[in-house]
């Protein structure tokens, strides 16, 4: 089967509550650091890091990320303070935005990054398997999970990401904040999980850039060996 590699960098930032400018500056520094390598990543993944105090601040932050994406010809996936997830392509265009938190009906947001079908959710949707399943049934091979997950429920974050990868037979790329976007500390522990549930890369609770390469062809191989999703679509 075909091997399609995607190099991904997860930017686990140290978020400062309501210090929008500090968070934006930190993000830009980490982006530049992630891109300053011999073979830069295809995708940069950021958590809900901006801690904007208003819709206007969030809009300004997303606009700045669009500029950085276009200037560096890199895809960027991130989440705003108000649980809206965004995907920005290499030209700086917002190609997907999604907020499931207040919607009672499970839906999916499917988009292509460099020809690879992807899904996206804010971290709060990890607890709703029916929401994540819609991404798999919609053809996603990679699911981006954008968190501000509290340290108090650290074990939930880790287990849910692994389980969602296994039951949907796709890659889960989950990035979390390492700071205090609201009142309690976030757990960090950003991770990349393959379709078999194997953790390919994992960070600790400190700010960090986590980079790995995934073979997207593994999704079809896993689904071919254990075609459980076929039983679901058949019913």
């Amino acid at each position: 089967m075909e091997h399609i590699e995607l190099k991904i960098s997860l930017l686990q930032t140290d978020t400062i509550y309501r210090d929008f400018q500090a968070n934006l500056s930190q993000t830009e520094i980490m982006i530049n650091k992630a891109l300053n390598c011999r073979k830069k990543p295809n995708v940069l993944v950021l958590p809900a890091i901006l801690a904007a105090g208003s819709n206007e601040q969030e809009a300004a932050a997303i606009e700045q990320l669009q500029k950085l994406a276009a200037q560096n010809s890199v895809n960027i996936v991130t989440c705003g303070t108000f649980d809206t997830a965004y995907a920005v392509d290499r030209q700086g265009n917002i190609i997907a935005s999604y907020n499931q938190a207040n919607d009672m009906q499970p839906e999916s947001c499917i988009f292509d990054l460099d020809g690879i079908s992807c899904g996206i959710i804010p971290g709060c949707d990890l607890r709703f398997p029916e929401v994540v399943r819609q991404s798999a049934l919609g053809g996603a091979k990679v699911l981006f999970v954008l968190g501000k997950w509290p340290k108090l429920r650290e074990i939930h974050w880790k287990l849910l990401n692994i389980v969602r990868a296994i039951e949907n037979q796709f890659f889960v790329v989950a990035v979390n904040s390492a700071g205090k976007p609201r009142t309690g500390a976030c757990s960090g522990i950003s991770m990349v999980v393959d379709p078999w549930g194997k953790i390919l890369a994992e960070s600790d609770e400190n700010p960090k850039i986590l980079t790995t390469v995934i073979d997207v062809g593994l999704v079809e191989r896993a689904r071919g060996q254990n075609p459980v999703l076929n039983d679901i679509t058949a019913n």
Side-chain angles (χ1 to χ4, degrees):
M1 291 187 179
E2 188 176 8
H3 291 265
I4 304 174
E5 291 190 342
L6 195 67
K7 186 175 183 180
I8 302 171
S9 287
L10 293 76
L11 279 57
Q12 182 170 289
T13 56
D14 184 6
T15 306
I16 304 169
Y17 183 51
R18 289 196 179 278
D19 195 335
F20 172 72
Q21 288 301 329
N23 292 325
L24 186 57
S25 296
Q26 177 192 182
T27 299
E28 292 180 0
I29 290 170
M30 293 188 78
I31 287 174
N32 290 330
K33 185 176 180 180
L35 294 173
N36 189 25
C37 56
R38 186 171 62 179
K39 185 179 179 182
K40 70 180 183 182
N42 305 101
V43 188
L44 299 176
V45 191
L46 287 66
I49 47 88
L50 299 173
S54 66
N55 288 322
E56 290 75 17
Q57 283 187 336
E58 180 165 312
I62 298 302
E63 183 177 349
Q64 180 62 16
L65 292 178
Q66 288 179 260
K67 291 179 181 177
L68 290 169
Q71 290 169 0
N72 295 284
S73 186
V74 66
N75 303 293
I76 296 179
V77 180
T78 190
C79 191
T81 302
F82 306 106
D83 291 326
T84 298
Y86 300 91
V88 180
D89 68 12
R90 294 178 183 272
Q91 290 73 46
N93 302 309
I94 296 176
I95 58 173
S97 62
Y98 173 78
N99 188 324
Q100 182 67 31
N102 297 314
D103 195 336
M104 297 302 294
Q105 297 299 318
E107 297 178 359
S108 63
C109 179
I110 306 297
F111 56 95
D112 280 0
L113 287 182
D114 294 353
I116 298 169
S117 184
C118 302
I120 188 172
I121 60 169
C124 55
D125 278 10
L126 264 180
R127 293 190 178 278
F128 302 99
E130 65 277 12
V131 172
V132 179
R133 176 55 53 83
Q134 294 306 310
S135 293
L137 297 180
K141 296 182 178 180
V142 180
L143 179 72
F144 294 100
V145 181
L146 311 167
K148 49 186 175 184
W149 202 275
K151 188 172 182 58
L152 180 65
R153 295 189 289 276
E154 175 182 310
I155 188 65
H156 297 185
W157 167 259
K158 187 169 184 175
L159 290 176
L160 287 172
N161 279 305
I162 294 171
V163 170
R164 297 295 168 257
I166 294 170
E167 66 189 6
N168 293 289
Q169 298 178 307
F170 54 21
F171 285 93
V172 169
V173 177
V175 65
N176 195 26
S177 173
K180 296 182 178 180
R182 290 186 180 172
T183 55
C186 286
S187 63
I189 313 184
S190 299
M191 64 178 66
V192 178
V193 188
D194 80 5
W196 293 104
K198 179 181 178 181
I199 297 176
L200 303 179
E202 182 180 6
S203 67
D204 55 20
E205 62 184 15
N206 299 307
K208 185 176 183 179
I209 298 174
L210 186 69
T211 299
T212 191
V213 177
I214 63 173
D215 173 12
V216 182
L218 182 59
V219 173
E220 293 305 321
R221 296 195 292 275
R223 291 175 178 177
Q225 292 176 44
N226 187 25
V228 293
L229 293 180
N230 292 344
D231 294 336
I232 297 171
T233 55
N235 294 327

